Amino acid sequence: MNVLFTHGYFLHEDPKEQAIMKPYPPLGLLYLSAWLDLHDVENEVFDTTFSTKEDLKKCLLEHRPHIVALYVNLMTKLNIIEIMRFIRSQETLKNSLIVLGGPDVTHNAADYLACGADLIAMGEGEQTMLEIALAMDEGRRTTGRITNNEQQTTNNNFSHIPGLAFFLPNGSLHKTPPREKIRDIDQLPLPNRRKINLQLYLDAWKEAHGHSAVSISTQRGCPYTCRWCSTAVYGQSYRRRSPANVADEIEFLQKNYEFDLIWFVDDVFTVSHRWLGEFRDELKIRNLQIQFECITRADRLNEEAIQVLKECGCFRVWIGAESGSQRIIDAMDRRVDVGQVREMIKATRRIGMQAGTFIMLGYPGETEADIRETVAHLKESNPDLFTITVAYPIKGTG
């Protein structure tokens, strides 16, 4: 096997998520897999969500992939470290190249390399992974590891590939120039859902909630500056697939799977009202009937945009609030008015759609008075649903 993509999330280890039971497949890995397929690079995806570490270890030992590409985030870093240590402990896997990507690696590259990774892929991963695989195939490396062999490291390494971090023979951290972002993301193939068992996700949803859901990404990046949000992968940008391209994916999913709802994973679904109107028109032209939920900001909503969302098939929109205190909102650099958040929640409900919102407690500088303002904010806006997160710092954010 040339490349094995996997991640470190195991649902059976997470009692809270088992209670919620709304799992979604690893779209990022499925995009990488599809990009390699497009360029005739052999690859497989081992989806850990419904599996176990033992099954993953058996797969690694059986197939001995040349490259093990691991997605890692805050939740999964300990499992990823354990998986890397297992690979390093196996004689038959000693030549496997370990590549890490995801939101947690960019600002922690040296730590992950010290734990066994060979390469850290920073930023958008499709072209980076392709160039790593091609470099391996061309024999630019004679083993699957960074070693102390200076000739090997200087002449046959990956220093020509943008968006990488690795250790030099002297132990110092080296970073290649940043990877340029893909401007036209319509050129990306649809995520490679055929490489996983999507039915496991649909069945889990159906059993727990009586309906099933799939996830779709229509954009990359976010142009906003919230100080608690990591932009380590896609950056502070805004790139969007065309409405026709998104409709193609919806048609593919409807032809190949039975599901009830769509979750659009984008940070701000209504950032462009023009795109939203074109998306509605595209759905009408194709006679596509969908039900979906999405996330947005109050300053990118108005009554007209809410109406267009409803015409598209949106049944629930999540409107970021984080706090009912304008002082805390400003400290977060949210750049939104709390009163506007309340009004958009009310307007959404008036039109017959559900409104959800997010609350974050414990932000630096928050007082009991601020929390009471948040309680009053929730009472007045009266959303159908809200979630509460305790604030925590992420390296690389404000």
Side-chain angles (χ1 to χ4, degrees), residues 8 14 30 41 47 92 102 140 179 210 240 247 267 293 303 332:
D14 195 332
L30 303 185
V41 175
D47 184 9
T92 57
R140 294 178 183 176
R179 164 69 59 184
R240 198 100 189 233
D267 292 327
E293 57 183 318
E303 295 202 5
M332 295 174 174

Side-chain angles (χ1 to χ4, degrees), residues 53-274:
K53 289 175 187 172
E54 289 307 309
D55 287 336
L56 174 56
K57 291 174 182 178
K58 289 177 184 176
C59 175
L60 289 166
L61 291 172
E62 179 181 352
H63 295 288
R64 291 181 289 174
H66 302 151
I67 302 171
V68 182
L70 297 152
Y71 169 87
V72 56
N73 59 25
L74 277 170
M75 287 178 61
T76 62
K77 66 164 62 180
L78 294 180
N79 280 340
I80 293 299
I81 291 169
E82 181 182 341
I83 293 164
M84 288 196 295
R85 286 175 176 163
F86 170 78
I87 294 170
R88 292 293 173 241
S89 71
Q90 301 300 307
E91 180 66 22
T92 57
L93 297 173
K94 67 178 182 180
N95 290 328
S96 292
L97 186 82
I98 298 178
V99 183
L100 299 191
D104 200 51
V105 301
T106 298
H107 301 289
N108 298 286
D111 294 331
Y112 281 111
L113 291 168
C115 287
D118 292 311
L119 299 173
I120 302 298
M122 300 175 292
E124 214 156 39
E126 281 84 3
Q127 190 62 22
T128 302
M129 275 306 308
L130 175 61
E131 291 177 19
I132 291 170
L134 292 177
M136 288 282 284
D137 284 347
E138 291 167 8
R140 294 178 183 176
R141 294 186 43 96
T142 55
T143 74
R145 283 180 56 76
I146 300 287
T147 73
N148 290 325
N149 184 319
E150 185 174 356
Q151 182 179 359
Q152 183 182 77
T153 309
T154 56
N155 296 335
N156 299 319
N157 69 359
F158 304 91
S159 58
H160 64 289
I161 300 175
L164 290 182
F166 51 85
F167 281 153
L168 295 174
N170 63 9
S172 64
L173 178 68
H174 177 73
K175 294 184 179 180
T176 62
R179 164 69 59 184
E180 185 177 339
K181 298 178 184 66
I182 298 171
R183 294 185 180 183
D184 178 14
I185 59 175
D186 271 9
Q187 69 181 278
L188 294 170
L190 298 183
N192 213 346
R193 294 181 178 90
R194 298 291 198 189
K195 290 282 178 81
I196 66 168
N197 188 350
L198 187 62
Q199 195 61 46
L200 292 175
Y201 292 88
L202 302 177
D203 291 345
W205 269 78
K206 199 81 169 180
E207 184 177 347
H209 308 289
H211 55 258
S212 54
V214 296
S215 53
I216 294 177
S217 171
T218 77
Q219 69 185 56
R220 288 191 171 184
C222 177
Y224 295 96
T225 56
C226 306
R227 290 170 59 83
W228 38 260
C229 187
S230 173
T231 58
V233 176
Y234 295 137
Q236 198 175 322
S237 64
Y238 170 71
R239 293 160 294 145
R240 198 100 189 233
R241 298 165 59 194
S242 65
N245 188 268
V246 177
D248 287 344
E249 182 171 5
I250 293 170
E251 284 190 327
F252 169 82
L253 288 169
Q254 288 186 342
K255 287 177 182 177
N256 290 279
Y257 302 98
E258 290 187 13
F259 62 93
D260 303 303
L261 308 174
I262 294 172
W263 167 245
F264 286 111
V265 303
D266 313 304
D267 292 327
V268 188
F269 190 73
T270 65
V271 65
S272 169
H273 291 182
R274 177 181 176 181

Side-chain angles (χ1 to χ4, degrees), residues 250 264 269-270 273 276-285 287-292 294 302-317 348 351-353:
I250 293 170
F264 286 111
F269 190 73
T270 65
H273 291 182
L276 186 63
E278 292 174 353
F279 180 58
R280 173 198 57 193
D281 296 342
E282 190 69 32
L283 294 177
K284 285 183 177 179
I285 290 170
N287 195 29
L288 286 174
Q289 306 293 320
I290 59 173
Q291 277 193 298
F292 69 89
C294 61
N302 54 36
E303 295 202 5
E304 180 182 353
I306 295 171
Q307 178 62 41
V308 175
L309 276 174
K310 187 175 182 181
E311 291 173 10
C312 289
C314 182
F315 72 94
R316 181 187 299 142
V317 58
T348 298
I351 207 171
M353 288 163 49

